[in-house]
Amino acid sequence: MPEVSPVCSLYSQCLCVIQDNLEHIYRPTPKPETGSSCSISETTEGESDNNSFHKIPTILLEEIICSFPREKKLKNFNIGFLITPELKKLIIPNLCRYSNYNEQYLNFRRLEKLQVLVMQKTNVGDSCLKIIGTWCKNLRVLDVNYCSRVTDTGIEWLILQSSELRSTLRQLLILCRFVTKKGTKMALHHFSALQVIENRNIFDVLVEVVKSAARVQSRPQIIKFPFLRLKIRPAGLYRKGNFGLVVGCCPGLLDLTIVVKKGLTDSDLFCLTNLKNFRLLRILGLKPILGDLNRSRGDEITFDMGIAPVLKVVGNSLKVLDLLHFEVDIWTIVKFCPNLTSLIFEKHCESLSALSENEVIQLRNEKGRVIFGDLKILECGFNLSNDILFALLSCPLLEEVDISYCNALTDEFLQEAMKNGILKNLQVLYLIRCNLVTKQGLDALLINGNRLAEIICSFCEKVTLRNVYDWYKIARRNNWELFLEFENDETERTTYASYSSASY
């Protein structure tokens, strides 16, 4: 059965009380002459000495800041009262997105020990990056993703104000509308230790930089970047050779996301076989045409001629394989990628197999064999046979399952699965348009030993809102920690959380 709701620890209760009362603990003091809010730099030493937050351990203070509600408006709370010189990690909540807060509330002169600074989706701008470059000498991670006021000028100021960051900054996340190729190129040139740089223009910038270095007449340069993670997405079409050029200049890649566009071909992918210790491969094909799930939208990329040959070489080291919107042969993946912890694909198609018929037969007939011993996350569904679905769900460590458009998932299938003792570690079950399963089948998950904590049913014809409400009442009665969500064509999304009073 789902786990019984645990007794909330005193630590967690204290965090909740602080979250709920932040606006009443400290309020910004208006300046007599202007009536405006004070900034941190205007706070006196006496006020700082009386600030009880500054007297608690730094690790707890960081936990309080991280526990801020991400979307709640805190109009009357000055986050600066939580800032101390000892902080190593600071995650600014999204309250800055909704209010008049800006960089005046962040006294970076006091944050020289800071190593991780996340300001995603806030209203900080270029001047804030200038202050960071001046005072935050030990930063390893800077995240200003989706900050609409950050531009190329801010990147330039960040560079000019800090020689130390050039050798210490490891991750720079600048997915900002007004950071162009110019700003991305400046960051690439000046922050030599970057292992991750997120920006929509990074692929095109790398192409330009590598080609420019190769054109130097007196001494052509071979450039290598220490990137561990990269997302490849050109602004326009893929040009012949550019994909291999970029992968070749990043030999240490562990995590690669490829956005498929016209011009990328199966032969382009072969350069991936040169990557050693590859951990994550995500190839984002195009979504299928509505109502036509039989049509592959991988453009010129195919599973059997492009992806499978790569998996044959690097698949043994892969932990995460995401081929959403692609047709795949599951037995090829089983053979080449035995150590996966996460597998995402849309449709199974045995005609795309890179294996011989005898190899497939042998894999199918190995009785008692667990096909993925380490798999924890699975997303699949369309065109799966009963035996393949059963084999996938039999992975012993499976925790999160997302099944879509699956006719193999029936009441009888679930009942048989429970009899055979699988899904014991399942925590999250997400069903989309699985139209042959009913409450009777899903009931089996609620009365057998498992760790189920979340069930989400979207557009499943035979599962009703009343069914979900009945599960909620059972969970409340048995004190189970269970989150339920229901959505169909006739109603808005409805959620029930048996462990939260907000669910009433």
Side-chain angles (χ1 to χ4, degrees):
M1 64 183 66
E3 294 185 346
V4 174
S5 298
V7 176
C8 189
S9 68
L10 181 59
Y11 178 84
S12 299
Q13 291 182 54
C14 291
L15 280 180
C16 290
V17 170
I18 292 172
Q19 290 176 31
D20 293 339
N21 293 277
L22 281 174
E23 294 184 277
H24 308 294
I25 297 174
Y26 286 109
R27 293 177 181 273
T29 305
K31 294 166 62 177
E33 65 275 13
T34 63
S36 63
S37 307
C38 70
S39 69
I40 297 307
S41 58
E42 294 163 346
T43 305
T44 66
E45 288 298 322
E47 288 173 312
S48 178
D49 292 341
N50 293 327
N51 188 340
S52 56
F53 281 117
H54 290 190
K55 299 174 184 178
I56 65 177
T58 300
I59 190 170
L60 178 57
L61 190 59
E62 291 176 347
E63 185 76 18
I64 291 172
I65 298 173
C66 289
S67 70
F68 267 105
R70 300 300 295 169
E71 301 297 332
K72 182 180 178 181
K73 300 180 183 181
L74 299 175
K75 295 180 180 179
N76 297 316
F77 181 71
N78 185 342
I79 191 177
F81 285 107
L82 301 180
I83 308 299
T84 76
E86 301 302 314
L87 289 179
K88 293 184 178 181
K89 178 175 67 175
L90 177 57
I91 300 177
I92 305 299
N94 289 0
L95 59 88
C96 303
R97 183 179 178 186
Y98 301 108
S99 63
N100 293 323
Y101 288 99
N102 54 44
E103 51 263 32
Q104 70 170 323
Y105 290 96
L106 307 173
N107 187 359
F108 292 106
R109 299 187 184 198
R110 305 171 62 192
L111 296 174
E112 294 188 359
K113 295 183 179 181
L114 201 63
Q115 295 184 10
V116 177
L117 178 56
V118 178
M119 300 185 291
Q120 189 177 120
K121 295 182 180 179
T122 65
N123 72 342
V124 297
D126 292 338
S127 58
C128 184
L129 267 65
K130 186 175 184 179
I131 298 171
I132 292 170
T134 304
W135 299 108
C136 301
K137 306 296 186 182
N138 294 296
L139 268 188
R140 300 294 186 270
V141 178
L142 176 58
D143 182 352
V144 291
N145 275 348
Y146 312 110
C147 294
S148 59
R149 296 176 61 226
V150 172
T151 72
D152 291 343
T153 300
I155 304 301
E156 183 176 10
W157 285 348
L158 181 68
I159 294 167
L160 293 176
Q161 295 300 317
S162 178
S163 58
E164 291 90 343
L165 283 184
R166 299 186 184 192
S167 59
T168 63
L169 195 62
R170 298 290 187 270
Q171 296 187 32
L172 180 60
L173 313 183
I174 47 176
L175 279 170
C176 306
R177 190 189 333 172
F178 298 112
V179 175
T180 68
K181 290 168 64 174
K182 176 184 176 182
T184 308
K185 190 176 294 186
M186 285 191 293
L188 197 65
H189 278 305
H190 292 92
F191 297 121
S192 59
L194 280 179
Q195 297 174 341
V196 177
I197 179 168
E198 285 188 4
N199 183 267
R200 293 178 179 86
N201 304 297
I202 184 62
F203 176 78
D204 296 314
V205 167
L206 287 173
V207 169
E208 290 182 9
V209 169
V210 174
K211 285 186 174 181
S212 177
R215 285 196 296 264
V216 177
Q217 293 183 356
S218 58
R219 185 180 296 176
Q221 301 178 18
I222 300 176
I223 297 184
K224 302 293 181 183
F225 297 100
F227 289 157
L228 301 180
R229 186 174 84 218
L230 189 63
K231 184 172 184 176
I232 292 182
R233 175 176 57 187
L237 306 180
Y238 283 97
R239 302 297 178 187
K240 186 176 181 180
N242 286 353
F243 181 85
L245 199 67
V246 169
V247 172
C249 72
C250 307
L253 280 176
L254 302 178
D255 179 334
L256 180 63
T257 298
I258 304 167
V259 179
V260 174
K261 286 187 174 182
K262 190 178 176 71
L264 187 67
T265 65
D266 286 337
S267 59
D268 289 319
L269 296 184
F270 190 73
C271 64
L272 300 180
T273 59
N274 295 321
L275 298 177
K276 308 300 180 184
N277 301 316
F278 213 9
R279 291 292 182 268
L280 183 151
L281 176 60
R282 180 180 292 111
I283 304 181
L284 304 179
L286 302 176
K287 292 182 179 180
I289 298 173
L290 188 63
D292 186 8
L293 289 175
N294 290 299
R295 179 173 176 182
S296 173
R297 295 296 306 281
D299 231 349
E300 298 177 59
I301 298 297
T302 64
F303 178 81
D304 53 338
M305 301 300 293
I307 299 173
V310 172
L311 298 182
K312 185 175 183 179
V313 179
V314 304
N316 197 59
S317 65
L318 280 181
K319 296 295 183 180
V320 177
L321 180 61
D322 183 346
L323 300 174
L324 190 62
H325 309 312
F326 276 91
E327 293 179 298
V328 308
D329 170 54
I330 188 61
W331 301 114
T332 299
I333 297 175
V334 168
K335 178 76 172 181
F336 296 151
C337 310
N339 301 309
L340 292 180
T341 60
S342 176
L343 172 61
I344 298 174
F345 67 95
E346 183 171 76
K347 179 183 177 183
H348 171 66
C349 183
E350 290 189 15
S351 65
L352 298 176
S353 181
L355 309 179
S356 68
E357 185 177 347
N358 287 337
E359 286 178 300
V360 174
I361 292 174
Q362 183 179 355
L363 288 170
R364 277 184 175 276
N365 294 336
E366 285 187 38
K367 300 298 182 183
R369 178 178 183 268
V370 175
I371 60 176
F372 295 114
D374 299 324
L375 197 68
K376 293 183 178 181
I377 299 173
L378 173 67
E379 183 174 336
C380 62
F382 190 74
N383 203 38
L384 287 181
S385 61
N386 283 38
D387 62 323
I388 293 178
L389 182 62
F390 195 91
L392 289 171
L393 297 185
S394 297
C395 298
L397 300 183
L398 208 56
E399 296 177 354
E400 183 176 331
V401 174
D402 185 331
I403 303 178
S404 305
Y405 297 91
C406 186
N407 291 333
L409 191 70
T410 63
D411 292 346
E412 293 75 17
F413 178 92
L414 283 174
Q415 291 163 358
E416 183 66 23
M418 293 300 100
K419 288 179 182 178
N420 282 271
I422 71 174
L423 297 177
K424 286 188 175 181
N425 287 303
L426 185 65
Q427 297 178 31
V428 178
L429 178 62
Y430 191 177
L431 303 179
I432 304 175
R433 298 194 185 278
C434 294
N435 295 326
L436 298 183
V437 70
T438 72
K439 178 180 181 298
Q440 182 180 359
L442 293 172
D443 278 345
L445 296 173
L446 298 178
I447 61 176
N448 285 272
N450 56 44
R451 301 168 57 199
L452 193 63
E454 189 171 330
I455 301 177
I456 302 172
C457 294
S458 294
F459 309 103
C460 299
E461 291 180 355
K462 295 183 180 181
V463 179
T464 68
L465 179 58
R466 181 65 195 185
N467 297 154
V468 176
Y469 183 66
D470 287 342
W471 292 327
Y472 161 71
K473 289 193 296 182
I474 294 172
R476 292 291 292 184
R477 185 166 62 246
N478 291 281
N479 195 31
W480 291 342
E481 187 173 3
L482 186 62
F483 175 88
L484 300 157
E485 184 171 289
F486 173 82
E487 183 180 14
N488 65 13
D489 295 317
E490 287 77 36
T491 182
E492 295 182 0
R493 183 173 299 168
T494 304
T495 62
Y496 298 102
S498 63
Y499 48 84
S500 171
S501 60
S503 62
Y504 281 101

